[in-house]
Amino acid sequence: MKKLLILTIIAASLFSCSNNGSSSTDSNANTGTGSSSTSTEINPATNNSANPSYDPKRGEGKFTKVEISDKLDAAMATNGEKVYGVKCSSCHKTTDEKLVGPGWKGVTGRHTPEWIMNFVTNTDAMLNKDPKAQAQLEICLVRMPNQNLADEEARSLLEFMRKNDGIK
């Protein structure tokens, strides 16, 4: 009976978390909303001559510096909440309660903005190489499917996570 329940949960999570549409592959570095008080510049790594060995403190992906303001960008957080509702809510709660994946309460305190952005946009590589992601996989036992988030969606999702963690 327990095996059937686990298989049902896995099947439901794979079905509900799968990408049911193509998303933008826009890699525009500036995802600002027009507000001059909030800095949302995203600087992907561009140096191809750097040491190719993996640095576990950097994570895996193109985001090496994600600039965030002390103040929340409410419009971006609202867009991130929409992304959460479509692509994340079936597996993650905004509390500390684990559903299929871990709860999001306190996530911005546990991980850097760069780590979060790289994880949500480059899930497979992070799960294969990043020690923090691998440790979480051992707890959850279900691999997070790649949601094919555009950079702008990922940045909005990060802002929603910040709002969820009490940033105002």
Side-chain angles (χ1 to χ4, degrees), residues 5 19 21 24 35 38 70 84 90 94 122 124 138 141-142 168:
L5 178 62
N19 183 23
S24 169
S35 170
T38 303
D70 290 337
Y84 168 80
S90 59
T94 57
N122 198 8
D124 295 326
E138 287 181 20
L141 303 175
V142 177
K168 295 181 184 202

Side-chain angles (χ1 to χ4, degrees), residues 12-135:
S13 68
L14 291 175
F15 176 76
S16 65
C17 291
S18 67
N19 183 23
N20 52 356
S22 65
S23 66
S24 169
T25 56
D26 180 18
S27 60
N28 190 356
N30 186 356
T31 59
T33 60
S35 170
S36 61
S37 64
T38 303
S39 173
T40 57
E41 183 177 333
I42 301 170
N43 298 322
T46 58
N47 184 357
N48 292 334
S49 64
N51 184 351
S53 65
Y54 176 70
D55 176 3
K57 293 181 182 174
R58 179 185 63 81
E60 181 70 23
K62 67 181 180 178
F63 299 102
T64 58
K65 183 159 177 67
V66 178
E67 300 206 13
I68 56 174
S69 172
D70 290 337
K71 187 176 178 183
L72 185 75
D73 183 324
M76 192 180 289
T78 299
N79 289 338
E81 188 170 8
K82 292 175 186 174
V83 173
Y84 168 80
V86 172
K87 296 194 174 195
C88 310
S89 64
S90 59
C91 296
H92 299 278
K93 290 191 174 195
T94 57
T95 64
D96 57 0
E97 183 182 351
K98 178 182 172 245
L99 192 55
V100 175
W104 282 7
K105 183 177 182 182
V107 72
T108 60
R110 292 189 303 271
H111 301 289
T112 65
E114 294 79 12
W115 190 93
I116 292 170
M117 293 283 293
N118 285 322
F119 186 75
V120 300
T121 60
N122 198 8
T123 308
D124 295 326
M126 289 286 283
L127 287 171
N128 289 338
K129 297 180 181 180
D130 185 80
K132 284 183 177 181
Q134 290 173 347

